[in-house]
Amino acid sequence: MKDPHDVIIRPVLTEESYAGFADKRYVFVVHPESNKTEIKLALQSVFKGIKVDKVNTVRTMGKIKTQGRTSGRTPEIKKAYVTLTKDSKPIEFFEGMAE
């Protein structure tokens, strides 16, 4: 199994993700090659006491950026939308952020 801190890269903190905190729905940037089972196990090992109900993932292609005659592409990322069960406690890291 991969190290949980290699699977979960960082949380996504946007207005849309703040709106999901009340429903125990969180968004994370994850490793592009990780699957839903690895993400679920990694979250449950990093944040003790939570129970993950479901994980939805989405991959976004990088945008093409140009500067003069040179063009390149920003990195591709994979996001995981994680929903906790109703009886699970919320993730302590996010408490008090969206109030």
Side-chain angles (χ1 to χ4, degrees):
M1 184 178 141
K2 298 179 186 174
D3 184 36
H5 295 286
D6 291 338
V7 175
I8 303 165
I9 297 174
R10 67 178 182 270
V12 176
L13 301 175
T14 59
E15 289 184 23
E16 184 180 347
S17 66
Y18 284 142
F21 290 171
D23 300 329
K24 296 183 182 178
R25 186 172 173 90
Y26 304 96
V27 185
F28 294 93
V29 174
V30 295
H31 191 272
E33 296 177 1
S34 60
N35 58 29
K36 293 180 181 185
T37 306
E38 289 174 344
I39 295 167
K40 178 179 179 178
L41 294 174
L43 284 168
Q44 289 178 348
S45 66
V46 170
F47 301 108
K48 302 295 182 191
I50 66 167
K51 297 176 190 164
V52 177
D53 184 27
K54 64 181 179 176
V55 177
N56 297 334
T57 58
V58 63
R59 295 178 74 127
T60 58
M61 294 293 293
K63 295 181 181 179
I64 295 176
K65 299 284 186 173
T66 58
Q67 185 170 6
R69 288 187 286 169
T70 309
S71 65
R73 188 178 284 273
T74 60
E76 174 182 324
I77 63 169
K78 183 174 186 176
K79 291 192 284 188
Y81 291 84
V82 179
T83 306
L84 303 181
T85 59
K86 296 293 180 189
D87 58 341
S88 173
K89 68 176 190 173
I91 298 176
E92 295 174 5
F93 177 78
F94 297 106
E95 286 184 11
M97 284 191 176
E99 293 178 352

